[in-house]
């Protein structure tokens, strides 16, 4: 299972989208943060993420949409699609 992005909540300064990626191992009940070599810009929250070929050498993660904050006040909805190859940890934009 994978978790990407989300919100860092600052009680005095609002919420800021983040761009980290986590993997959950059900057997050991542990979360591991995965280093991404080229994070998606801008960071976002509420994306949909699905793993393809999980457990195989060509494991890929699809990430769709979400939202980000532009200029500190404007919420922008995104409808882009990205593929992350787990071996290289690089996101590739799907046009």
């Amino acid at each position: 299972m994978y978790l990407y992005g989300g919100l860092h909540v600052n009680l005095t300064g609002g919420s800021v989208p983040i761009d980290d990626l986590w993997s959950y191992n059900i057997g050991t009940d542990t979360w591991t943060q995965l280093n991404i070599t080229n994070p998606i810009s801008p960071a976002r929250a509420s994306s949909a993420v699905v793993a393809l070929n999980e457990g195989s050498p060509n494991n890929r993660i699809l990430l769709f949409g979400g939202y980000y904050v532009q200029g500190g006040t404007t919420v922008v909805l995104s409808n882009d699609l990205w593929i992350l190859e787990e071996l290289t940890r690089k996101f590739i934009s799907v046009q």
Side-chain angles (χ1 to χ4, degrees):
M1 177 169 60
Y2 295 91
L3 179 68
Y4 176 81
L7 290 176
H8 173 78
V9 178
N10 181 339
L11 298 178
T12 59
S15 301
V16 178
I18 54 177
D19 64 356
D20 52 1
L21 178 66
W22 293 82
S23 172
Y24 179 71
N25 182 317
I26 196 167
T28 61
D29 191 29
T30 56
W31 286 96
T32 303
Q33 186 171 6
L34 305 176
N35 294 323
I36 303 169
T37 57
N38 66 330
I40 294 174
S41 182
R44 60 193 64 204
S46 297
S47 300
V49 178
V50 64
L52 302 175
N53 302 324
E54 191 168 7
S56 80
N58 354 336
N59 187 25
R60 291 190 171 101
I61 300 164
L62 293 179
L63 182 140
F64 176 76
Y67 74 87
Y68 58 93
V69 179
Q70 189 174 49
T73 58
T74 305
V75 173
V76 178
L77 300 178
S78 179
N79 67 351
D80 51 355
L81 179 64
W82 295 83
I83 295 175
L84 176 90
E85 294 185 355
E86 191 174 17
L87 288 177
T88 62
R89 305 274 171 89
K90 289 185 178 183
F91 273 109
I92 300 165
S93 176
V94 177
Q95 303 294 325

